[in-house]
mmCIF file of all heavy atoms in Angstrom:
data_model
loop_
_atom_site.group_PDB
_atom_site.id
_atom_site.type_symbol
_atom_site.label_atom_id
_atom_site.label_comp_id
_atom_site.label_asym_id
_atom_site.label_seq_id
_atom_site.Cartn_x
_atom_site.Cartn_y
_atom_site.Cartn_z
ATOM 1 N N ILE A 49 -11.035 -17.020 3.961
ATOM 2 C CA ILE A 49 -10.195 -18.160 4.418
ATOM 3 C C ILE A 49 -9.983 -19.022 3.133
ATOM 4 O O ILE A 49 -10.977 -19.587 2.562
ATOM 5 C CB ILE A 49 -10.939 -18.973 5.461
ATOM 6 C CG1 ILE A 49 -11.168 -18.124 6.698
ATOM 7 C CG2 ILE A 49 -10.097 -20.266 5.889
ATOM 8 C CD1 ILE A 49 -11.940 -18.760 7.884
ATOM 9 N N THR A 59 -12.911 -26.405 8.924
ATOM 10 C CA THR A 59 -12.678 -26.554 10.412
ATOM 11 C C THR A 59 -12.251 -25.275 11.011
ATOM 12 O O THR A 59 -12.807 -24.806 12.070
ATOM 13 C CB THR A 59 -11.707 -27.695 10.659
ATOM 14 O OG1 THR A 59 -12.136 -28.856 10.121
ATOM 15 C CG2 THR A 59 -11.455 -27.820 12.165
ATOM 16 N N LEU A 60 -11.280 -24.596 10.421
ATOM 17 C CA LEU A 60 -10.851 -23.330 10.926
ATOM 18 C C LEU A 60 -11.887 -22.307 10.849
ATOM 19 O O LEU A 60 -12.053 -21.429 11.750
ATOM 20 C CB LEU A 60 -9.558 -22.813 10.112
ATOM 21 C CG LEU A 60 -8.319 -23.525 10.459
ATOM 22 C CD1 LEU A 60 -7.145 -22.807 9.728
ATOM 23 C CD2 LEU A 60 -7.981 -23.542 11.974
ATOM 24 N N ALA A 61 -12.698 -22.262 9.865
ATOM 25 C CA ALA A 61 -13.788 -21.235 9.677
ATOM 26 C C ALA A 61 -14.778 -21.478 10.831
ATOM 27 O O ALA A 61 -15.216 -20.482 11.482
ATOM 28 C CB ALA A 61 -14.539 -21.408 8.334
ATOM 29 N N GLY A 62 -15.116 -22.716 11.094
ATOM 30 C CA GLY A 62 -16.070 -23.078 12.210
ATOM 31 C C GLY A 62 -15.441 -22.613 13.520
ATOM 32 O O GLY A 62 -16.139 -22.038 14.455
ATOM 33 N N CYS A 63 -14.180 -22.899 13.798
ATOM 34 C CA CYS A 63 -13.473 -22.523 15.061
ATOM 35 C C CYS A 63 -13.426 -21.067 15.221
ATOM 36 O O CYS A 63 -13.710 -20.489 16.348
ATOM 37 C CB CYS A 63 -12.099 -23.095 15.101
ATOM 38 S SG CYS A 63 -12.001 -24.859 15.258
ATOM 39 N N LEU A 64 -13.157 -20.326 14.097
ATOM 40 C CA LEU A 64 -13.136 -18.831 14.136
ATOM 41 C C LEU A 64 -14.442 -18.295 14.490
ATOM 42 O O LEU A 64 -14.656 -17.286 15.232
ATOM 43 C CB LEU A 64 -12.522 -18.285 12.894
ATOM 44 C CG LEU A 64 -10.935 -18.280 12.789
ATOM 45 C CD1 LEU A 64 -10.533 -17.788 11.443
ATOM 46 C CD2 LEU A 64 -10.376 -17.387 13.889
ATOM 47 N N ALA A 65 -15.420 -18.814 13.779
ATOM 48 C CA ALA A 65 -16.791 -18.289 13.999
ATOM 49 C C ALA A 65 -17.238 -18.464 15.489
ATOM 50 O O ALA A 65 -17.784 -17.505 16.100
ATOM 51 C CB ALA A 65 -17.771 -19.039 13.016
ATOM 52 N N GLN A 66 -16.972 -19.572 16.044
ATOM 53 C CA GLN A 66 -17.266 -19.794 17.502
ATOM 54 C C GLN A 66 -16.480 -18.900 18.321
ATOM 55 O O GLN A 66 -17.100 -18.371 19.244
ATOM 56 C CB GLN A 66 -16.912 -21.272 17.810
ATOM 57 C CG GLN A 66 -17.334 -21.612 19.303
ATOM 58 C CD GLN A 66 -18.798 -21.523 19.428
ATOM 59 O OE1 GLN A 66 -19.546 -22.160 18.691
ATOM 60 N NE2 GLN A 66 -19.220 -20.801 20.490
ATOM 61 N N ARG A 67 -15.211 -18.607 17.983
ATOM 62 C CA ARG A 67 -14.449 -17.706 18.832
ATOM 63 C C ARG A 67 -15.051 -16.238 18.748
ATOM 64 O O ARG A 67 -15.113 -15.537 19.788
ATOM 65 C CB ARG A 67 -12.988 -17.671 18.318
ATOM 66 C CG ARG A 67 -12.071 -16.792 19.226
ATOM 67 C CD ARG A 67 -11.990 -17.194 20.565
ATOM 68 N NE ARG A 67 -11.216 -16.319 21.455
ATOM 69 C CZ ARG A 67 -11.613 -15.221 22.048
ATOM 70 N NH1 ARG A 67 -12.852 -14.741 21.813
ATOM 71 N NH2 ARG A 67 -10.743 -14.460 22.757
ATOM 72 N N PHE A 68 -15.443 -15.808 17.559
ATOM 73 C CA PHE A 68 -16.030 -14.499 17.441
ATOM 74 C C PHE A 68 -17.287 -14.380 18.248
ATOM 75 O O PHE A 68 -17.679 -13.345 18.786
ATOM 76 C CB PHE A 68 -16.158 -14.090 15.973
ATOM 77 C CG PHE A 68 -14.940 -13.583 15.289
ATOM 78 C CD1 PHE A 68 -14.261 -14.347 14.345
ATOM 79 C CD2 PHE A 68 -14.404 -12.370 15.689
ATOM 80 C CE1 PHE A 68 -13.151 -13.822 13.747
ATOM 81 C CE2 PHE A 68 -13.229 -11.886 15.052
ATOM 82 C CZ PHE A 68 -12.570 -12.578 14.145
ATOM 83 N N GLU A 70 -18.103 -16.060 20.895
ATOM 84 C CA GLU A 70 -17.712 -16.032 22.267
ATOM 85 C C GLU A 70 -17.309 -14.511 22.639
ATOM 86 O O GLU A 70 -17.484 -14.173 23.872
ATOM 87 C CB GLU A 70 -16.592 -16.930 22.618
ATOM 88 C CG GLU A 70 -16.973 -18.403 22.519
ATOM 89 C CD GLU A 70 -15.867 -19.333 22.567
ATOM 90 O OE1 GLU A 70 -14.657 -18.876 22.647
ATOM 91 O OE2 GLU A 70 -16.029 -20.568 22.594
ATOM 92 N N VAL A 186 -2.564 -13.324 6.978
ATOM 93 C CA VAL A 186 -2.160 -14.335 8.054
ATOM 94 C C VAL A 186 -2.024 -15.698 7.334
ATOM 95 O O VAL A 186 -2.918 -16.019 6.480
ATOM 96 C CB VAL A 186 -3.173 -14.447 9.183
ATOM 97 C CG1 VAL A 186 -2.782 -15.390 10.204
ATOM 98 C CG2 VAL A 186 -3.436 -13.048 9.793
ATOM 99 N N ALA A 188 -2.065 -19.671 8.109
ATOM 100 C CA ALA A 188 -2.360 -20.704 9.169
ATOM 101 C C ALA A 188 -1.761 -21.938 8.667
ATOM 102 O O ALA A 188 -2.284 -22.500 7.712
ATOM 103 C CB ALA A 188 -3.869 -20.710 9.402
ATOM 104 N N ASN A 190 -1.998 -25.331 9.242
ATOM 105 C CA ASN A 190 -2.999 -26.180 9.967
ATOM 106 C C ASN A 190 -2.447 -27.624 9.965
ATOM 107 O O ASN A 190 -1.561 -28.033 9.165
ATOM 108 C CB ASN A 190 -4.364 -26.111 9.264
ATOM 109 C CG ASN A 190 -5.413 -26.617 10.145
ATOM 110 O OD1 ASN A 190 -5.423 -26.560 11.366
ATOM 111 N ND2 ASN A 190 -6.529 -27.166 9.569
ATOM 112 N N VAL A 222 0.834 -18.611 11.814
ATOM 113 C CA VAL A 222 0.300 -19.240 13.076
ATOM 114 C C VAL A 222 0.215 -20.739 12.737
ATOM 115 O O VAL A 222 -0.339 -21.134 11.779
ATOM 116 C CB VAL A 222 -1.114 -18.588 13.384
ATOM 117 C CG1 VAL A 222 -1.643 -19.339 14.687
ATOM 118 C CG2 VAL A 222 -1.022 -17.121 13.576
ATOM 119 N N ARG A 223 0.707 -21.488 13.707
ATOM 120 C CA ARG A 223 0.534 -22.943 13.609
ATOM 121 C C ARG A 223 -0.740 -23.371 14.383
ATOM 122 O O ARG A 223 -0.992 -22.938 15.508
ATOM 123 C CB ARG A 223 1.758 -23.648 14.232
ATOM 124 C CG ARG A 223 3.062 -23.450 13.437
ATOM 125 C CD ARG A 223 4.262 -24.152 14.075
ATOM 126 N NE ARG A 223 4.074 -25.575 13.993
ATOM 127 C CZ ARG A 223 5.112 -26.503 14.228
ATOM 128 N NH1 ARG A 223 6.192 -26.094 14.428
ATOM 129 N NH2 ARG A 223 4.806 -27.769 14.293
ATOM 130 N N THR A 224 -1.556 -24.144 13.650
ATOM 131 C CA THR A 224 -2.795 -24.511 14.276
ATOM 132 C C THR A 224 -3.100 -26.033 14.047
ATOM 133 O O THR A 224 -2.516 -26.654 13.183
ATOM 134 C CB THR A 224 -4.040 -23.810 13.533
ATOM 135 O OG1 THR A 224 -4.034 -24.140 12.096
ATOM 136 C CG2 THR A 224 -3.919 -22.235 13.678
ATOM 137 N N VAL A 225 -3.998 -26.520 14.912
ATOM 138 C CA VAL A 225 -4.496 -27.936 14.741
ATOM 139 C C VAL A 225 -5.981 -27.742 14.928
ATOM 140 O O VAL A 225 -6.518 -27.630 16.108
ATOM 141 C CB VAL A 225 -3.964 -28.907 15.818
ATOM 142 C CG1 VAL A 225 -4.481 -30.212 15.604
ATOM 143 C CG2 VAL A 225 -2.402 -28.879 15.706
ATOM 144 N N GLY A 226 -6.738 -27.558 13.884
ATOM 145 C CA GLY A 226 -8.101 -27.328 13.894
ATOM 146 C C GLY A 226 -8.995 -28.296 14.658
ATOM 147 O O GLY A 226 -9.962 -27.988 15.260
ATOM 148 N N SER A 227 -8.562 -29.531 14.561
ATOM 149 C CA SER A 227 -9.293 -30.585 15.214
ATOM 150 C C SER A 227 -9.388 -30.453 16.746
ATOM 151 O O SER A 227 -10.379 -30.984 17.291
ATOM 152 C CB SER A 227 -8.775 -32.003 14.764
ATOM 153 O OG SER A 227 -7.429 -32.052 15.184
ATOM 154 N N ASN A 228 -8.316 -29.861 17.368
ATOM 155 C CA ASN A 228 -8.383 -29.720 18.761
ATOM 156 C C ASN A 228 -8.293 -28.310 19.279
ATOM 157 O O ASN A 228 -8.227 -28.065 20.435
ATOM 158 C CB ASN A 228 -7.306 -30.581 19.481
ATOM 159 C CG ASN A 228 -5.950 -30.127 19.063
ATOM 160 O OD1 ASN A 228 -5.698 -29.002 18.580
ATOM 161 N ND2 ASN A 228 -4.931 -31.063 19.267
ATOM 162 N N GLY A 229 -8.303 -27.329 18.338
ATOM 163 C CA GLY A 229 -8.274 -25.953 18.771
ATOM 164 C C GLY A 229 -6.992 -25.333 19.000
ATOM 165 O O GLY A 229 -6.808 -24.165 19.326
ATOM 166 N N GLU A 230 -5.873 -26.081 18.867
ATOM 167 C CA GLU A 230 -4.556 -25.620 19.176
ATOM 168 C C GLU A 230 -4.209 -24.467 18.125
ATOM 169 O O GLU A 230 -4.389 -24.621 16.922
ATOM 170 C CB GLU A 230 -3.553 -26.720 18.956
ATOM 171 C CG GLU A 230 -2.076 -26.364 19.316
ATOM 172 C CD GLU A 230 -1.148 -27.487 19.095
ATOM 173 O OE1 GLU A 230 -1.497 -28.652 19.317
ATOM 174 O OE2 GLU A 230 0.009 -27.177 18.805
ATOM 175 N N GLY A 231 -3.718 -23.370 18.723
ATOM 176 C CA GLY A 231 -3.272 -22.278 17.906
ATOM 177 C C GLY A 231 -4.530 -21.330 17.497
ATOM 178 O O GLY A 231 -4.289 -20.282 16.861
ATOM 179 N N LEU A 232 -5.716 -21.774 17.871
ATOM 180 C CA LEU A 232 -6.855 -20.921 17.436
ATOM 181 C C LEU A 232 -6.843 -19.495 18.057
ATOM 182 O O LEU A 232 -7.090 -18.497 17.384
ATOM 183 C CB LEU A 232 -8.181 -21.635 17.828
ATOM 184 C CG LEU A 232 -9.386 -20.851 17.635
ATOM 185 C CD1 LEU A 232 -9.713 -20.559 16.135
ATOM 186 C CD2 LEU A 232 -10.622 -21.551 18.145
ATOM 187 N N GLU A 233 -6.461 -19.443 19.326
ATOM 188 C CA GLU A 233 -6.422 -18.138 20.003
ATOM 189 C C GLU A 233 -5.476 -17.240 19.287
ATOM 190 O O GLU A 233 -5.694 -16.068 19.159
ATOM 191 C CB GLU A 233 -6.175 -18.296 21.476
ATOM 192 C CG GLU A 233 -6.202 -16.985 22.240
ATOM 193 C CD GLU A 233 -7.587 -16.323 22.237
ATOM 194 O OE1 GLU A 233 -8.635 -17.071 22.041
ATOM 195 O OE2 GLU A 233 -7.724 -15.100 22.418
ATOM 196 N N ALA A 234 -4.321 -17.790 18.943
ATOM 197 C CA ALA A 234 -3.265 -17.010 18.210
ATOM 198 C C ALA A 234 -3.756 -16.501 16.849
ATOM 199 O O ALA A 234 -3.469 -15.366 16.512
ATOM 200 C CB ALA A 234 -2.012 -17.837 18.083
ATOM 201 N N LEU A 235 -4.517 -17.366 16.194
ATOM 202 C CA LEU A 235 -5.136 -16.947 14.931
ATOM 203 C C LEU A 235 -6.109 -15.922 15.048
ATOM 204 O O LEU A 235 -6.113 -14.878 14.364
ATOM 205 C CB LEU A 235 -5.744 -18.171 14.234
ATOM 206 C CG LEU A 235 -6.384 -17.962 12.891
ATOM 207 C CD1 LEU A 235 -5.376 -17.444 11.855
ATOM 208 C CD2 LEU A 235 -7.000 -19.316 12.433
ATOM 209 N N TYR A 236 -6.991 -16.079 16.053
ATOM 210 C CA TYR A 236 -7.934 -15.024 16.340
ATOM 211 C C TYR A 236 -7.359 -13.692 16.715
ATOM 212 O O TYR A 236 -7.711 -12.605 16.167
ATOM 213 C CB TYR A 236 -8.815 -15.518 17.467
ATOM 214 C CG TYR A 236 -9.794 -14.449 18.068
ATOM 215 C CD1 TYR A 236 -10.899 -14.065 17.463
ATOM 216 C CD2 TYR A 236 -9.468 -13.813 19.324
ATOM 217 C CE1 TYR A 236 -11.725 -13.133 18.010
ATOM 218 C CE2 TYR A 236 -10.300 -12.858 19.894
ATOM 219 C CZ TYR A 236 -11.350 -12.481 19.216
ATOM 220 O OH TYR A 236 -12.241 -11.580 19.731
ATOM 221 N N GLN A 237 -6.297 -13.706 17.610
ATOM 222 C CA GLN A 237 -5.645 -12.474 17.968
ATOM 223 C C GLN A 237 -4.799 -11.903 16.855
ATOM 224 O O GLN A 237 -4.811 -10.556 16.750
ATOM 225 C CB GLN A 237 -4.742 -12.766 19.186
ATOM 226 C CG GLN A 237 -5.305 -13.130 20.414
ATOM 227 C CD GLN A 237 -6.242 -12.123 20.995
ATOM 228 O OE1 GLN A 237 -6.030 -10.943 20.687
ATOM 229 N NE2 GLN A 237 -7.157 -12.472 21.924
ATOM 230 N N SER A 238 -4.353 -12.641 15.911
ATOM 231 C CA SER A 238 -3.714 -11.974 14.727
ATOM 232 C C SER A 238 -4.644 -11.302 13.826
ATOM 233 O O SER A 238 -4.409 -10.279 13.319
ATOM 234 C CB SER A 238 -2.986 -13.216 13.858
ATOM 235 O OG SER A 238 -1.982 -13.789 14.670
ATOM 236 N N LEU A 239 -5.861 -11.916 13.624
ATOM 237 C CA LEU A 239 -6.886 -11.244 12.846
ATOM 238 C C LEU A 239 -7.403 -9.977 13.564
ATOM 239 O O LEU A 239 -7.626 -8.961 12.922
ATOM 240 C CB LEU A 239 -8.078 -12.223 12.643
ATOM 241 C CG LEU A 239 -7.750 -13.343 11.584
ATOM 242 C CD1 LEU A 239 -8.882 -14.376 11.648
ATOM 243 C CD2 LEU A 239 -7.630 -12.692 10.234
ATOM 244 N N GLU A 240 -7.620 -9.980 14.843
ATOM 245 C CA GLU A 240 -7.958 -8.790 15.541
ATOM 246 C C GLU A 240 -6.890 -7.672 15.396
ATOM 247 O O GLU A 240 -7.225 -6.479 15.226
ATOM 248 C CB GLU A 240 -8.170 -9.100 17.014
ATOM 249 C CG GLU A 240 -9.474 -9.931 17.279
ATOM 250 C CD GLU A 240 -10.716 -9.054 17.178
ATOM 251 O OE1 GLU A 240 -11.106 -8.712 15.984
ATOM 252 O OE2 GLU A 240 -11.357 -8.837 18.240
#
Side-chain angles (χ1 to χ4, degrees):
I49 302 177
T59 302
L60 284 186
C63 290
L64 279 173
Q66 185 62 52
R67 182 62 181 84
F68 278 112
E70 291 170 359
V186 180
N190 196 31
V222 180
R223 293 181 62 166
T224 61
V225 183
S227 59
N228 63 18
E230 182 180 331
L232 174 63
E233 186 62 24
L235 179 58
Y236 168 78
Q237 294 296 340
S238 294
L239 286 167
E240 288 285 70

